[in-house]
Amino acid sequence: MLYPATFEQKISFDTIRLRLKGYCLCPIGEEEVDKMRFSVHFQEITEQLSLTNEMLQLITSDLDELPVGDFFDIRSALSRVQVVGLYLDEGDIFDLKRSLEAVRKLVSFISKQKEELFPQLHLLIAEVKSFAPIIKQIDAILNKFGKIKDNASAELARIRKDIFHTQSGISKTLNSILRQAQIDGYVEKDVSPTIREGRLVIPVSPAFKRKVSGIVHDESATGKTVYIEPQQVVEANNRIRELESEERREIIRILVEFTNQLRPYFQEIIESQFFLGKIDFLRAKALFAKELKAIKPNVEDLCQLEWDRAIHPLLFLSLKKQNREVVPLNIVLNENQRILIISGPNAGGKSVCLKTVALLQFMLQCG
């Protein structure tokens, strides 16, 4: 237990957390920052330090760039469709695909690195699944823009083909009517068919609206134009509406079927998202370490300090903006020298010294 309860705020570790969150790419990574806790277990601390250091080596080496970017938090979408009959929409599935691909790319990237150089990262990916069959299944129903493919099912292909042919027929008929109306002087020469209430219509001056047989659907804000659906295309436009309803029903059927097939893997997929969160968290720590020019310290399972030219990280960043440098701190505390008395004038650096020791040790024991 830490004492007092506000200890993190007193040593400005809350500011460290905020800076780490600023480097995160997704909410799960930020949650990992919030979960970060002070540890007194030597093995846990050294493992966390090694993970941070291995990530720092990855992002600062001449190796290919770490494949990050598509870190989508899909947990709420999955929890929303736990009940059979509910389904993920196209956007959810597209985010799912990119998220699973992000997992696959990261696992592949880390697995290609030498295990003797990155042992902790190799342990981290050991149990992570890649979900290649699910990605393949998504590719079968979604295009590269995240929309349902025409050939996602035979029925959908038929419906969209019918829509295309019906719309083409309507366009030809409308253009023919429009040309005749322009010849007769009922419609301006530069006018073209437009859509109102989902139906193709012709813009006509109110003075000539009775010259074009059809249904008036709308008029412009100025009242100088009315939009008429010619009688010859009313039935075809009705057919378009029917086909669009059929299309939507078929898309929902495809989405429901896919979600039902996916549902048994929800928990495993969520676990893969936690892997993305851990990578995001490690990357944030590594980037922060890079900003601070920090190094991995030598740690022993003993109550001792032996620091050479240690500096307060937040003071370092603050003075860096002013092109100033922090006065470093050398300190030794061990079994033989357990107590250090600090004295000096006001504004002599006593508090900074104390906070530097507290904050750096606290950061160390948070990994």
Side-chain angles (χ1 to χ4, degrees):
M1 179 182 289
L2 292 171
Y3 180 83
T6 56
F7 182 75
E8 285 198 9
Q9 289 76 29
K10 284 184 177 292
I11 65 168
S12 301
F13 189 73
D14 56 335
T15 304
I16 299 291
R17 286 191 194 270
L18 284 173
R19 283 187 169 270
L20 287 177
K21 285 184 176 181
Y23 282 117
C24 288
L25 299 170
C26 69
I28 315 179
E30 293 179 7
E31 288 171 19
E32 290 289 327
V33 174
D34 287 332
K35 288 191 293 185
M36 179 172 55
R37 291 291 178 268
F38 177 86
S39 174
V40 295
H41 302 291
F42 179 72
Q43 185 176 349
E44 181 182 353
I45 292 167
T46 53
E47 284 176 0
Q48 290 302 315
L49 288 173
S50 294
L51 273 169
T52 304
N53 190 54
E54 287 177 22
M55 182 59 73
L56 178 60
Q57 302 313 309
L58 268 186
I59 66 172
T60 57
S61 68
D62 294 329
L63 299 167
D64 292 336
E65 192 173 345
L66 187 73
V68 295
D70 291 334
F71 284 13
F72 296 94
D73 188 358
I74 57 169
R75 292 172 298 170
S76 61
L78 294 182
S79 64
R80 200 173 61 241
V81 296
Q82 292 284 353
V83 178
V84 175
L86 299 178
Y87 60 89
L88 297 169
D89 63 28
E90 291 163 279
D92 293 333
I93 296 173
F94 195 43
D95 287 348
L96 170 65
K97 179 201 169 182
R98 289 183 287 179
S99 184
L100 294 181
E101 283 185 333
V103 172
R104 180 184 59 78
K105 288 175 184 176
L106 281 167
V107 170
S108 174
F109 180 82
I110 294 171
S111 66
K112 290 175 183 175
Q113 312 308 318
K114 293 181 179 178
E115 190 169 351
E116 59 269 26
L117 296 179
F118 304 99
Q120 293 299 326
L121 285 173
H122 274 268
L123 284 174
L124 189 63
I125 65 171
E127 301 298 323
V128 180
K129 295 187 177 179
S130 63
F131 303 102
I134 292 175
I135 294 173
K136 186 178 179 181
Q137 196 174 356
I138 294 172
D139 284 337
I141 62 173
L142 291 188
N143 62 24
K144 62 181 180 179
F145 304 109
K147 300 301 179 184
I148 294 286
K149 287 181 174 180
D150 292 351
N151 61 351
S153 74
E155 178 64 8
L156 185 60
R158 179 197 67 77
I159 292 168
R160 287 186 172 174
K161 187 177 179 181
D162 285 354
I163 289 174
F164 175 78
H165 288 311
T166 306
Q167 285 177 334
S168 295
I170 292 172
S171 294
K172 288 178 182 176
T173 304
L174 267 184
N175 283 320
S176 175
I177 294 170
L178 182 59
R179 281 194 301 272
Q180 187 59 51
Q182 288 170 336
I183 291 169
D184 294 338
Y186 305 145
V187 177
E188 297 292 334
K189 295 293 183 184
D190 58 346
V191 163
S192 60
T194 186
I195 293 178
R196 281 293 184 275
E197 299 179 4
R199 303 173 83 91
L200 276 166
V201 295
I202 295 174
V204 179
S205 171
F208 300 112
K209 67 179 181 181
R210 299 193 185 282
K211 301 292 184 179
V212 179
S213 176
I215 301 170
V216 176
H217 281 283
D218 198 5
E219 69 175 37
S220 65
T222 61
K224 293 180 179 179
T225 306
V226 294
Y227 298 93
I228 298 177
E229 178 185 13
Q231 196 64 46
Q232 297 93 318
V233 298
V234 170
E235 192 59 41
N237 270 329
N238 288 340
R239 178 59 180 154
I240 290 289
R241 286 290 182 91
E242 292 171 7
L243 287 169
E244 286 173 346
S245 296
E246 289 179 29
E247 178 189 33
R248 187 59 196 155
R249 285 194 295 272
E250 179 59 15
I251 287 173
I252 290 173
R253 187 197 66 77
I254 292 168
L255 296 176
V256 168
E257 183 180 332
F258 171 78
T259 305
N260 288 342
Q261 293 172 355
L262 186 72
R263 196 169 282 110
Y265 304 99
F266 275 11
Q267 189 53 45
E268 292 176 352
I269 291 170
I270 288 172
E271 287 169 11
S272 78
Q273 301 306 290
F274 288 124
F275 165 72
L276 287 182
K278 286 176 183 175
I279 292 293
D280 194 22
F281 173 51
L282 287 174
R283 175 181 169 276
K285 288 199 290 183
L287 288 171
F288 189 42
K290 183 181 176 183
E291 183 184 15
L292 293 173
K293 299 180 181 177
I295 59 169
K296 180 190 175 188
N298 294 320
V299 184
E300 296 180 37
D301 196 7
L302 298 169
C303 289
Q304 66 179 28
L305 294 178
E306 188 174 333
W307 294 357
D308 179 49
R309 297 180 62 78
I311 59 176
H312 191 292
L314 298 177
L315 185 58
F316 166 76
L317 294 174
S318 177
L319 293 184
K320 184 180 177 183
K321 294 177 182 177
Q322 306 169 34
N323 292 318
R324 296 167 59 195
E325 292 187 358
V326 182
V327 176
L329 168 70
N330 298 333
I331 183 168
V332 175
L333 290 172
N334 53 36
E335 236 179 64
N336 299 321
Q337 185 176 311
R338 295 172 49 230
I339 298 174
L340 181 66
I341 297 175
I342 304 173
S343 66
N346 289 344
K350 299 186 297 296
S351 295
V352 171
C353 176
L354 289 169
K355 286 187 174 183
T356 300
V357 173
L359 182 57
L360 289 181
Q361 188 65 29
F362 198 87
M363 287 171 68
L364 169 80
Q365 291 185 237
C366 285

